[in-house]
Amino acid sequence: MKRFTALIFFLLMLQAASKGQPYKTSGGIRAGFPFGLSLKHFISGNNALEFVAGANLRGFVAEAIFENEYRVHSDSRVYWYWGAGLHGGYVDSERNSLIDMKEPYKGAVVGADVGFGFEFCLKRKPLNFAFDLFPSINLAGYTGWNGINSAVSVRYVF
């Protein structure tokens, strides 16, 4: 039991010692599902909030995701992150024939997202690139599985 406690303590200390991104705020385009705009702001150390406003095959959505980010290697410009958050938006399943919903739905949805991603920061240019996967579930409105949202983001670093 003492070894397990020591291991947990060591991992927590390692996490606390890792550094976050070399920037405070970035914003740009998110290409994928949903497609739209992304704004990421670090609130402390490795902790960031990412806001996404975009459209998908069924309507539009706004997301707020809390992310925890870590450098892959001590001298690397590649970071990995995990996070969880909420989304809300509007769905119109009749608008798109590619969508196979059991019952047509038109209205508001609210749900939860959880996932992970990778981010790469350029050294001499104020740009970063991110790729993420965020499985999503709707909790209100049209409830149930919402799919795996994934995208590539290109953001300007402020």
Side-chain angles (χ1 to χ4, degrees), residues 26-120:
S26 64
I29 302 282
R30 178 179 167 88
F33 290 101
F35 177 86
L37 301 175
S38 167
L39 178 71
K40 187 171 187 174
H41 179 74
F42 281 86
I43 52 178
S44 68
N46 299 348
N47 302 319
L49 290 174
E50 183 172 2
F51 300 98
V52 175
N56 57 26
L57 294 174
R58 298 178 268 188
F60 66 89
V61 67
E63 298 176 335
I65 302 169
F66 174 81
E67 296 173 350
N68 203 291
E69 191 160 298
Y70 301 98
R71 190 182 300 255
V72 170
H73 188 270
S74 62
D75 60 350
S76 173
R77 288 175 281 149
V78 178
Y79 299 81
W80 71 276
Y81 56 91
W82 62 273
L86 300 172
H87 69 266
Y90 180 81
V91 170
D92 183 357
S93 66
E94 296 172 351
R95 224 176 97 200
N96 193 319
S97 61
L98 296 174
I99 298 167
D100 184 26
M101 291 178 135
K102 294 176 186 167
E103 299 173 21
Y105 180 78
K106 188 178 199 177
V109 293
V110 175
D113 309 281
V114 62
F116 68 96
F118 292 93
E119 188 168 84
F120 176 74

Side-chain angles (χ1 to χ4, degrees), residues 19-25 42 69 71 76-77 79 119 121-122 128 157-158:
K19 302 212 180 208
Q21 289 284 2
Y23 67 89
K24 188 77 170 165
T25 304
F42 281 86
E69 191 160 298
R71 190 182 300 255
S76 173
R77 288 175 281 149
Y79 299 81
E119 188 168 84
C121 293
L122 295 178
N128 71 24
V157 175
F158 300 101

